[in-house]
Amino acid sequence: MPKKYSISIDDDDEIFTVLSKKMEILKAIPIGKKTISSQVGKALDIKQRRALEYLDTLEDDGYLKSSWEVCEYRSGSRSRARVFTRIK
């Protein structure tokens, strides 16, 4: 007698579907709001360079636009950073 197999992941407690990091970033940035790669990296626990790569890809896909701006931090230091704004 053939065995019955369940190939559905809906009933499996060991397999879960998750969003990609790129989609997590897109979901976390509200339309019209700004962010920088270091903030994204801290929020998602990834390296700043990887966050910048994801943001750059999202800009190429048309979800973000970027510009170079001077950011001042709480400590009083300033630095030039690439600021991303979500447009759609």
Side-chain angles (χ1 to χ4, degrees):
M1 176 154 234
K3 294 182 180 179
K4 289 187 177 183
Y5 295 99
S6 174
I7 58 172
S8 171
I9 65 169
D10 295 331
D11 302 327
D12 195 344
D13 292 338
E14 295 180 11
I15 301 172
F16 304 99
T17 57
V18 295
L19 292 174
S20 66
K21 290 293 184 186
K22 189 169 85 168
M23 287 299 116
E24 280 185 50
I25 292 169
L26 192 60
K27 198 171 181 181
I29 304 170
I31 293 175
K33 297 294 183 175
K34 297 178 178 183
T35 191
I36 56 176
S37 61
S38 62
Q39 289 299 105
V40 172
K42 285 179 189 174
L44 297 179
D45 195 32
I46 57 177
K47 302 240 182 241
Q48 181 177 347
R49 293 291 299 173
R50 177 65 73 188
L52 184 59
E53 183 180 335
Y54 289 135
L55 291 168
D56 194 36
T57 303
L58 287 168
E59 182 179 23
D60 290 343
D61 293 344
Y63 292 104
L64 304 173
K65 67 177 182 176
S66 68
S67 61
W68 286 95
E69 298 180 21
V70 177
C71 295
E72 183 172 352
Y73 300 93
R74 187 181 307 175
S75 65
S77 66
R78 293 180 181 190
S79 67
R80 193 165 172 243
R82 194 164 163 203
V83 178
F84 293 86
T85 305
R86 178 150 180 212
I87 55 175
K88 67 175 182 175

